[in-house]
Amino acid sequence: MDHYDSPQTNDYMQPEEDWDRDMLLDPAWEKQQRKTFTAWCNSHLRKAGTQIDNIEEDFRDGLKLMLLLEVISGERLAKPERGKMRVHKISNVNKALDFIASKGVKLVSIGAEEIVDGNAKMTLGMIWTIILRFAIQDISVEETSAKEGLLLWCQRKTAPYKNVNIQNFHISWKDGLGFCALIHRHRPELIDYGKLRKDDPLTNLNTAFDVAEKYLDIPKMLDAEDIIGPLRPDEKAIMTYVSCYYHAFSGAQKAETAANRICKVLAVNQENEQLMEDYEKLASDLLEWIRRTIPWLENRAPENTMQAMQQKLEDFRDYRRLHKPPKVQEKCQLEINFNTLQTKLRLSNRPAFMPSEGKMVSDINNAWGGLEQAEKGYEEWLLNEIRRLERLDHLAEKFRQKASIHESWTDGKEVMLQQKDYETATLSEIKALLKKHEAFESDLAAHQDRVEQIAAIAQELNELDYYDSPSVNARCQKICDQWDNLGALTQKRREALERTEKLLETIDQLYLEYAKRAAPFNNWMEGAMEDLQDTFIVHTIEEIQGLTTAHEQFKATLPDADKERQAILGIHNEVSKIVQTYHVNMAGTNPYTTITPQEINGKWDNVRQLVPRRDQALMEEHTRQQQNERLRKQFGAQANVIGPWIQTKMEEIGRISIEMHGTLEDQLNHLRQYEKSIINYKPKIDQLEGDHQQIQEALIFDNKHTNYTMEHIRVGWEQLLTTIARTINEVENQILTRDAKGISQEQMNEFRASFNHFDRDHSGTLGPEEFKACLISLGYDIGNDAQGEAEFARIMSIVDPNRLGVVTFQAFIDFMSRETADTDTADQVMASFKILAGDKNYITVDELRRELPPDQAEYCIARMAPYSGPDAVPGALDYMSFSTALYGESDL
């Protein structure tokens, strides 16, 4: 914190030695402060018609110092001393310092003697204290004050401007854009901010100082060179100058706010007066409408016709729907306007509005209450009158409707009650007739109320002097007489129905008993016939034995079933006896079942005929299943021998191809003997095929005596033949390779031992990694580096040209023989050609036939081109043709 600035403690100056030390560090600051503070003092002293030229000299007598304090504070100080003596000057300066102290400012190390003596540093410190107290301390922005408040005000005002970032009161103002931004923010017409450049601070500062002095009455307290020159401009000088901006703009804003406030008050007053006029007019119109409407609502003149009363009701509804709602809205708006007006008057400290006599809100509410009361009474009267007229019309119409409904209901009821349909009805029909009659009695009792209502309505119409009462009375009497007759007929029919019901109940019980026993017996016979005729499909002897046992159990139940049949027929005979004895007129058959005694006897005879047929079918099937079981056992016994034999042979062949017992010729002879023994086993396979054909013809689909099927045996046999043939071929190829490459038997054994050692899964092949390990074990230098991988890839392309990912033993020995063979190489063979040719470059056909066996000679001759050298001889063959015939073009 600067030595003049301590707003929290009101210590505006530090000890003198600190202040002096600061000044001694940078004398330029003292010069700049002297200029700025002088200009600031003169800006206030000019209001009193004076100014200073030298800040430390002109304040020595204290007179202009006291005058400055009176101007900036607006208060009167004690009367100054006019004497020229030192004591007078000290007295005046003390009065000024006492006034400063009375404002809560604590002065440190500043005394009147230093000011009188013209101490420049102390004088500047005192002026800075005055500036802080009267120009900066009262600045307040967002709960911050003094220096922080002024800085925050600058930041808020310059925030929208690019390239302006006010963080302090020294280097943030060097480019001059901060001053220009403050002026443009409040008086944008004074500066064209868009044309300013950050790299031209001199122009920016001079523009701001000139505009502020000319248009804002802010004296030019700073020079552009004083701000641009030093690395860090004087903070107090800039704060002093910027505070003038704050007070200049805040004063203009206060004046504008005052003008706006006056305009707002005038506008509110005009609006309030208009609201008063609107209220008076609206209240008058509403009261007049209520006065005209109430007499119409109080008119109670009755009408003689329903149509006239309906028209009055419709007029009232139009009033409610069309005429009243706008008035309700006007009343609501009137109250809203009144409340709004009172609120506005209260907020503006104006007297409350008092409407004209009789137009208060309470007066309007009272008048409105009277309107609604009249409206309610008129509505009730209308409804009562309409109800009265409706009542007469309704009663007459109700009588006619009820009478018509009753007469329609009674139509045909007397004829129905006199019927004798029960004489030929069955028991169920009698019960149905009884229930129907009970329902009719309930319906008759229910209609009792309607008859009573008809009589009551006729009585009320008589009491109300209905114009058509005679016809109503005649119709009512007829209805009552008919009602009494229906009651008598109903009782008579009930008694007849109950007598007939008792007579038929006994027969019905016998019918029910017959039905209860006949139905399950009939179902039993139908199920038995279905089972006896059902075609069965069995596959084992156990299944047919189970069917036979079940059939025997069924035959054991037949005597009891015959007894049940005779008992059921006895019930039917008893019914026939009762009908004949009591002469009952039976209108139909048994209502509980359609099963007749004839059907029972017919089905029983059918069951007895089907039993021996079932016996014969079961016996035949039992014989067939015995034959099938024999075929299963026969096939299973052979398959259980042949299947393991094939598996054993496969394993033995695999061992022969892997193990190394004797020479390759011994292994080949052993394998051919094995092949002969396998082929000699073919008759047993054929015999099994025959047994399998018999099983298929017998439609036998499973065999518990073996897990082998003919398909398994066939596949195993074919694999066995293929394996022995392939193994023999492999041994033959190994012999050819050995002989062609000159590999010894010991080398072959070594190759086989190495191959078998790395064939971990005994599959007869090596994977790439197994093959690589095998080569390393044989002495090949195949490293894990890039060169080793490339060499191994070359070898794999030789032994596995089809890229199957495996290496067979034949490919292995072909590779090894190619790498190790030391005889019959291409060079040796071609050297032999040169021996036969002698000094010539060719060999004749006759020489070739003389030196080689016939078949080999003809083989070479057929594939060689004639000699085509410069001294060509007919029938001669050249070196190149001989080489191509033996090794092909790839080895040339």
Side-chain angles (χ1 to χ4, degrees):
M1 177 161 306
D2 196 85
H3 53 270
Y4 290 134
D5 189 6
S6 180
Q8 278 73 19
T9 61
N10 288 335
D11 292 340
Y12 289 89
M13 292 188 62
Q14 294 177 342
E16 183 177 1
E17 57 272 19
D18 296 340
W19 192 83
D20 286 343
R21 184 171 60 251
D22 293 340
M23 297 301 294
L24 289 173
L25 290 175
D26 192 354
W29 284 11
E30 179 181 346
K31 177 182 178 182
Q32 189 172 353
Q33 288 179 13
R34 186 190 306 275
K35 183 188 301 181
T36 302
F37 291 174
T38 300
W40 182 84
C41 293
N42 286 334
S43 68
H44 292 285
L45 289 173
R46 277 198 298 269
K47 298 175 184 179
T50 186
Q51 65 177 20
I52 62 173
D53 297 322
N54 189 311
I55 194 167
E56 64 268 25
E57 292 294 331
D58 293 346
F59 283 142
R60 291 180 62 186
D61 59 1
L63 294 177
K64 289 187 178 182
L65 179 61
M66 295 177 67
L67 181 60
L68 175 64
L69 291 173
E70 288 182 349
V71 172
I72 62 178
S73 68
E75 301 180 17
R76 295 289 296 177
L77 274 68
K79 186 176 181 180
E81 299 288 344
R82 295 295 179 179
K84 301 296 184 179
M85 299 179 64
R86 177 179 176 83
V87 66
H88 297 141
K89 294 179 182 180
I90 292 175
S91 175
N92 290 335
V93 173
N94 277 327
K95 290 177 182 180
L97 295 179
D98 291 341
F99 178 79
I100 295 173
S102 68
K103 296 303 179 181
V105 179
K106 184 179 181 181
L107 298 173
V108 180
S109 300
I110 296 179
E113 292 79 3
E114 287 80 358
I115 304 301
V116 173
D117 291 340
N119 188 320
K121 298 179 181 61
M122 292 300 175
T123 301
L124 290 174
M126 178 189 66
I127 297 302
W128 174 241
T129 301
I130 294 172
I131 292 172
L132 282 176
R133 173 59 185 84
F134 294 99
I136 298 177
Q137 180 179 345
D138 293 337
I139 296 174
S140 178
V141 179
E142 297 183 7
E143 299 182 359
T144 61
S145 61
K147 178 182 178 181
E148 288 77 5
L150 181 60
L151 181 61
L152 182 59
W153 177 80
C154 295
Q155 291 171 342
R156 293 288 184 268
K157 295 299 181 180
T158 60
Y161 294 87
K162 63 180 181 178
N163 298 329
V164 178
N165 183 18
I166 304 301
Q167 298 296 330
N168 49 57
F169 286 107
H170 36 83
I171 62 174
S172 295
W173 302 86
K174 291 190 68 172
D175 57 9
L177 291 177
F179 297 110
C180 294
L182 289 176
I183 296 173
H184 184 267
R185 180 66 182 273
H186 296 88
R187 297 286 301 275
E189 74 280 5
L190 299 180
I191 291 180
D192 188 356
Y193 188 83
K195 294 183 177 180
L196 301 178
R197 302 198 319 272
K198 190 176 181 66
D199 59 355
D200 190 7
L202 184 63
T203 300
N204 298 338
L205 290 168
N206 287 327
T207 299
F209 296 160
D210 294 341
V211 170
E213 184 176 28
K214 182 176 180 181
Y215 297 102
L216 304 178
D217 197 25
I218 299 175
K220 190 174 182 181
M221 302 180 185
L222 301 171
D223 290 329
E225 294 78 6
D226 296 336
I227 296 177
I228 298 173
L231 295 176
R232 187 172 185 267
D234 182 60
E235 185 177 48
K236 300 179 183 63
I238 293 178
M239 282 182 63
T240 302
Y241 185 61
V242 172
S243 67
C244 294
Y245 279 71
Y246 174 83
H247 290 294
F249 292 133
S250 63
Q253 185 175 0
K254 289 177 182 178
E256 183 180 355
T257 303
N260 291 337
R261 186 179 295 112
I262 293 172
C263 293
K264 185 176 180 181
V265 170
L266 293 176
V268 169
N269 289 341
Q270 291 174 345
E271 184 179 357
N272 292 342
E273 290 176 1
Q274 185 62 43
L275 287 174
M276 293 176 189
E277 293 177 5
D278 293 344
Y279 177 86
E280 290 287 341
K281 184 177 184 307
L282 194 58
S284 299
D285 294 343
L286 185 59
L287 290 171
E288 177 60 23
W289 178 80
I290 293 173
R291 184 188 64 77
R292 293 195 312 268
T293 305
I294 288 178
W296 174 70
L297 294 173
E298 291 177 346
N299 183 12
R300 299 291 190 271
E303 300 291 342
N304 295 326
T305 64
M306 187 67 180
Q307 183 178 2
M309 290 305 298
Q310 288 287 357
Q311 185 58 47
K312 281 197 170 188
L313 180 60
E314 187 62 29
D315 293 342
F316 180 70
R317 288 173 178 168
D318 288 342
Y319 156 78
R320 280 272 185 87
R321 186 174 58 254
L322 301 176
H323 303 293
K324 185 181 178 183
K327 300 303 177 183
V328 173
Q329 184 64 29
E330 289 179 9
K331 177 178 176 296
C332 179
Q333 189 61 45
L334 189 70
E335 294 177 356
I336 292 173
N337 291 349
F338 182 80
N339 293 333
T340 302
L341 177 59
Q342 297 292 45
T343 300
K344 289 185 176 181
L345 291 173
R346 184 171 61 255
L347 293 175
S348 59
N349 295 323
R350 296 291 301 279
F353 169 63
M354 291 298 295
S356 303
E357 184 177 357
K359 297 181 181 178
M360 295 288 292
V361 173
S362 59
D363 298 330
I364 295 173
N365 286 335
N366 292 334
W368 190 267
L371 174 70
E372 291 189 335
Q373 189 64 31
E375 180 182 312
K376 180 180 179 183
Y378 186 67
E379 183 179 20
E380 290 176 353
W381 175 77
L382 281 175
L383 295 177
N384 289 334
E385 282 297 305
I386 291 174
R387 289 192 193 101
R388 184 182 67 81
L389 293 175
E390 282 182 342
R391 179 65 178 166
L392 285 175
D393 291 344
H394 175 68
L395 285 174
E397 181 62 26
K398 188 175 182 181
F399 177 81
R400 287 191 293 271
Q401 289 181 356
K402 287 185 176 294
S404 297
I405 292 173
H406 179 76
E407 290 167 353
S408 176
W409 180 82
T410 58
D411 185 29
K413 293 294 188 296
E414 293 174 309
V415 176
M416 183 269 293
L417 291 173
Q418 294 174 3
Q419 288 179 352
K420 296 187 181 295
D421 50 351
Y422 51 82
E423 292 181 350
T424 58
T426 63
L427 178 60
S428 60
E429 292 173 342
I430 287 295
K431 290 184 177 294
L433 289 174
L434 266 172
K435 291 188 177 297
K436 183 178 179 182
H437 189 71
E438 290 174 358
F440 173 77
E441 288 177 333
S442 299
D443 197 11
L444 185 68
H447 278 75
Q448 177 69 33
D449 291 339
R450 181 179 287 116
V451 175
E452 293 175 356
Q453 290 173 5
I454 291 172
I457 293 172
Q459 179 65 28
E460 188 174 358
L461 288 172
N462 286 327
E463 293 174 355
L464 295 175
D465 295 329
Y466 183 58
Y467 73 95
D468 199 19
S469 293
S471 63
V472 170
N473 292 335
R475 192 173 183 182
C476 181
Q477 186 61 44
K478 181 181 178 181
I479 290 173
C480 292
D481 293 342
Q482 186 186 33
W483 184 255
D484 294 338
N485 187 36
L486 286 175
L489 292 175
T490 300
Q491 182 62 29
K492 183 178 179 181
R493 181 173 175 81
R494 166 169 278 283
E495 294 172 354
L497 289 172
E498 289 176 348
R499 285 195 303 269
T500 305
E501 180 188 23
K502 291 179 181 179
L503 180 63
L504 296 177
E505 279 184 345
T506 301
I507 296 175
D508 185 72
Q509 289 295 328
L510 291 172
Y511 273 154
L512 182 61
E513 180 65 20
Y514 175 86
K516 288 181 177 180
R517 299 180 68 172
F521 185 72
N522 182 66
N523 291 337
W524 178 84
M525 288 191 298
E526 290 179 347
M529 289 189 293
E530 183 179 354
D531 293 341
L532 291 170
Q533 297 178 86
D534 185 25
T535 58
F536 50 82
I537 298 176
V538 294
H539 301 94
T540 63
I541 190 69
E542 290 81 4
E543 292 179 358
I544 192 61
Q545 288 174 350
L547 290 176
T548 303
T549 302
H551 183 64
E552 293 299 326
Q553 293 174 353
F554 167 75
K555 290 195 294 183
T557 63
L558 291 177
D560 293 336
D562 188 43
K563 291 180 182 179
E564 178 65 15
R565 179 183 67 84
Q566 293 176 3
I568 293 171
L569 295 177
I571 294 173
H572 182 75
N573 294 333
E574 187 176 353
V575 171
S576 300
K577 182 177 179 181
I578 292 174
V579 170
Q580 294 174 1
T581 301
Y582 295 99
H583 305 288
V584 178
N585 186 10
M586 299 300 295
T589 58
N590 191 329
Y592 299 110
T593 183
T594 59
I595 302 173
T596 63
Q598 292 79 11
E599 292 180 7
I600 292 176
N601 288 330
K603 291 180 180 179
W604 177 255
D605 293 340
N606 194 14
V607 169
R608 294 180 62 83
Q609 293 174 4
L610 291 173
V611 169
R613 298 178 189 173
R614 186 72 169 184
D615 291 337
Q616 182 64 27
L618 290 173
M619 187 180 300
E620 293 174 355
E621 182 62 27
H622 188 272
T623 302
R624 190 174 74 87
Q625 288 300 327
Q626 287 179 333
Q627 176 63 20
N628 290 348
E629 184 66 15
R630 183 188 63 78
L631 291 175
R632 287 190 186 93
K633 291 181 179 179
Q634 180 177 334
F635 179 85
Q638 295 184 67
N640 290 336
V641 173
I642 294 174
W645 181 85
I646 292 175
Q647 183 64 31
T648 301
K649 294 302 178 184
M650 290 287 289
E651 295 174 356
E652 291 176 353
I653 292 171
R655 286 196 297 271
I656 292 173
S657 63
I658 294 175
E659 296 174 354
M660 300 174 294
H661 297 298
T663 64
L664 291 177
E665 286 76 4
D666 294 340
Q667 294 179 26
L668 181 61
N669 293 332
H670 190 190
L671 286 171
R672 285 176 175 165
Q673 293 174 2
Y674 235 80
E675 183 181 29
K676 185 180 296 184
S677 66
I678 291 172
I679 294 173
N680 293 336
Y681 203 78
K682 183 66 166 59
K684 295 184 179 180
I685 302 296
D686 296 338
Q687 181 181 354
L688 189 64
E689 285 281 6
D691 294 343
H692 177 67
Q693 183 175 357
Q694 292 181 11
I695 287 176
Q696 286 185 324
E697 291 172 354
L699 301 179
I700 299 173
F701 302 105
D702 56 355
N703 191 345
K704 67 180 180 179
H705 301 293
T706 182
N707 292 325
Y708 294 98
T709 65
M710 194 62 220
E711 183 63 25
H712 293 154
I713 298 297
R714 289 194 195 103
V715 172
W717 176 253
E718 291 171 358
Q719 289 179 348
L720 180 61
L721 293 177
T722 302
T723 301
I724 187 63
R726 184 173 62 248
T727 305
I728 290 172
N729 179 256
E730 290 177 356
V731 175
E732 290 175 343
N733 290 336
Q734 292 174 20
I735 293 173
L736 289 175
T737 302
R738 182 198 63 188
D739 294 342
K741 302 299 182 177
I743 301 174
S744 66
Q745 184 63 41
E746 288 76 12
Q747 288 177 314
M748 290 294 294
N749 292 340
E750 181 185 359
F751 294 157
R752 169 56 74 179
S754 298
F755 189 90
N756 291 345
H757 174 75
F758 290 98
D759 184 13
R760 308 294 186 186
D761 55 358
H762 304 291
S763 62
T765 60
L766 296 179
E769 295 300 324
E770 294 174 337
F771 178 59
K772 185 176 182 180
C774 182
L775 292 177
I776 293 173
S777 69
L778 293 173
Y780 279 81
D781 185 12
I782 300 177
N784 292 325
D785 53 2
Q787 182 177 359
E789 292 297 330
E791 175 63 16
F792 183 68
R794 182 190 68 80
I795 295 173
M796 283 298 295
S797 66
I798 296 173
V799 298
D800 184 20
N802 296 324
R803 298 184 179 181
L804 300 177
V806 295
V807 179
T808 64
F809 181 70
Q810 182 62 43
F812 175 70
I813 61 174
D814 286 345
F815 172 75
M816 297 305 299
S817 63
R818 182 174 180 178
E819 296 292 321
T820 59
D822 55 2
T823 60
D824 291 339
T825 61
D827 293 338
Q828 294 171 331
V829 172
M830 296 314 298
S832 300
F833 176 88
K834 292 181 179 180
I835 294 173
L836 292 177
D839 296 332
K840 309 186 298 299
N841 290 327
Y842 59 87
I843 184 171
T844 64
V845 173
D846 294 337
E847 290 173 340
L848 190 63
R849 287 174 176 163
R850 184 175 62 249
E851 298 297 335
L852 296 180
D855 55 343
Q856 295 178 359
E858 296 302 327
Y859 175 85
C860 290
I861 294 169
R863 286 162 177 75
M864 284 193 243
Y867 173 58
S868 57
D871 299 326
V873 178
L877 306 174
D878 65 354
Y879 176 87
M880 185 64 69
S881 298
F882 182 80
S883 176
T884 303
L886 263 62
Y887 301 109
E889 295 182 0
S890 60
D891 289 334
L892 293 179

